[in-house]
Amino acid sequence: GLGALWRWPPSGARPVDPARVAAARVLGVSPQASPETIRAAYRDAMRTAHPDAGGDPARAAALAAARDLLLRQ
């Protein structure tokens, strides 16, 4: 049957945590991004999102939460 031919995820592929995918979207990076890429994306986004720069406090909090989640794993 097809069970032997069709498997998800494909063998060898690691399933990606949906929370990690969502956090990566917030920062605009890949879910597999390196810590350096995550930090750089966070810094770039916070330049406009930080409340001291006239940004939205909720957006700044979402960026910080996304960074923390991506760096924790």
Side-chain angles (χ1 to χ4, degrees):
L2 287 179
L5 299 174
W6 177 255
R7 251 186 274 166
W8 191 259
S11 350
R14 285 179 42 204
V16 180
D17 177 16
R20 188 171 178 83
V21 172
R25 276 195 194 126
V26 169
L27 286 175
V29 297
S30 162
Q32 295 84 18
S34 70
E36 295 80 20
T37 302
I38 293 165
R39 287 184 188 104
Y42 172 76
R43 280 192 306 270
D44 289 346
M46 283 300 278
R47 284 193 183 104
T48 57
H50 196 280
D52 291 348
D56 179 22
R59 171 97 172 116
L63 290 168
R67 178 208 52 200
D68 293 344
L69 187 144
L70 290 171
L71 292 177
R72 183 175 44 230
Q73 296 179 0

